[in-house]
Amino acid sequence: MSATPRHDEPAPARPMESALSISRGHNRNPSATKLRWCTPPGLYGFENQRVGGFGLDAAAEPTTALCESYLSPARFDCLTTPWAARCQRNRHGKLWAWFNPPWGPRHTACPFGCASKVCIKRGWHHLDTFVGTGAFTRRAIVQAETLTGVVVLVPTAPDTSWWRELFTASTDVRLLPRIAFCDADTGIAAASPPGGGCTLFELRHGSPLSARRVHLADEFGRDSHEQGTSG
């Protein structure tokens, strides 16, 4: 594994590099709509009850926000706004944030008249710039230090540096099976991320990483089998 990654604050992003720009960054990609999905309500409902209520949806749109307080490119960008300043306390007086960030590799917008062989071969261009999933997950790791905790939902991708960074920073890891995400426009459950499976990471401020637990869970995040792991 490469050297330990830095978890310092990422540089402020331009507006088009914000949380949901991925949904606009592949406008000529036939599979673009597969990158813009909302959290399954059953999964969120179980997690919301488990932590006593989330006070912030850290990556949302006005029409899909799961909490009264939320961060979105058009409102407060999650990459630049302090999460604790927007997070509301739950019924236990705790500050918990829910985070289902956009997924995808980093890319830059293609220039006007792009004649890249890669673009020509695949048949579409990047219309916007996207900072990549890692920028969002590293932001969650940093912001968790200012809250009670953050629950992060991402595709299971242990071959990526951002997934391994989340694993290293988390006190609780739940491996979920294939789950159906909801279309951001229709609300209908219709698709799964590439590879199918997802992971729930719990970033809890002040909890020792030596107590990390790894579980197999069902599509709602409920434990189905517990596994041990070295801290």
Side-chain angles (χ1 to χ4, degrees), residues 9-87:
E9 299 278 352
R14 294 181 300 171
M16 69 169 51
E17 294 177 335
S18 50
L20 293 169
S21 66
I22 191 168
S23 66
R24 301 185 294 275
H26 293 72
N27 287 354
R28 297 182 186 175
N29 179 356
S31 63
T33 55
K34 295 182 181 180
L35 299 174
R36 186 170 172 264
W37 301 104
C38 299
T39 303
L43 172 59
Y44 175 80
F46 177 80
E47 289 302 303
N48 189 54
Q49 182 178 19
R50 185 181 66 84
V51 302
F54 289 106
L56 178 71
D57 185 345
E61 293 179 313
T63 57
T64 61
L66 297 169
C67 302
E68 180 180 348
S69 183
Y70 63 92
L71 302 178
S72 73
R75 185 169 164 145
F76 300 100
D77 196 316
C78 70
L79 292 177
T80 57
T81 301
W83 294 12
R86 304 299 306 172
C87 190

Side-chain angles (χ1 to χ4, degrees), residues 40-221:
L43 172 59
Y44 175 80
F46 177 80
E47 289 302 303
N48 189 54
Q49 182 178 19
R50 185 181 66 84
V51 302
F54 289 106
L56 178 71
D57 185 345
E61 293 179 313
T63 57
T64 61
L66 297 169
C67 302
E68 180 180 348
S69 183
Y70 63 92
L71 302 178
S72 73
R75 185 169 164 145
F76 300 100
D77 196 316
C78 70
L79 292 177
T80 57
T81 301
W83 294 12
R86 304 299 306 172
C87 190
Q88 300 177 351
R89 293 189 180 275
N90 64 17
R91 59 180 177 269
H92 302 306
K94 305 296 185 180
L95 295 172
W96 278 96
W98 172 261
F99 196 44
N100 175 16
W103 310 332
R106 179 172 183 165
H107 64 255
T108 56
C110 293
F112 181 77
C114 174
S116 166
K117 292 182 179 180
V118 174
C119 294
I120 293 173
K121 182 176 181 179
R122 69 190 176 194
W124 51 271
H125 299 277
H126 290 301
L127 301 187
D128 287 346
T129 293
F130 178 57
V131 296
T133 301
F136 297 98
T137 56
R138 290 173 192 127
R139 178 68 172 175
I141 292 171
V142 170
Q143 293 301 298
E145 295 298 314
T146 68
L147 304 168
T148 304
V150 179
V151 176
V152 184
L153 174 64
V154 289
T156 299
D159 58 326
T160 63
S161 60
W162 57 259
W163 192 96
R164 296 193 296 271
E165 290 166 15
L166 278 173
F167 185 92
T168 300
S170 297
T171 55
D172 191 90
V173 180
R174 275 168 290 160
L175 303 173
L176 279 58
R178 179 181 294 273
I179 58 177
F181 282 75
C182 301
D183 186 287
D185 298 312
T186 67
I188 299 174
S192 300
C198 287
T199 306
L200 278 172
F201 291 100
E202 184 174 300
L203 303 166
R204 182 186 283 266
H205 177 61
S207 294
L209 295 179
S210 59
R212 182 188 300 118
R213 301 169 67 219
V214 179
H215 320 255
L216 294 179
D218 65 13
E219 66 273 20
F220 298 107

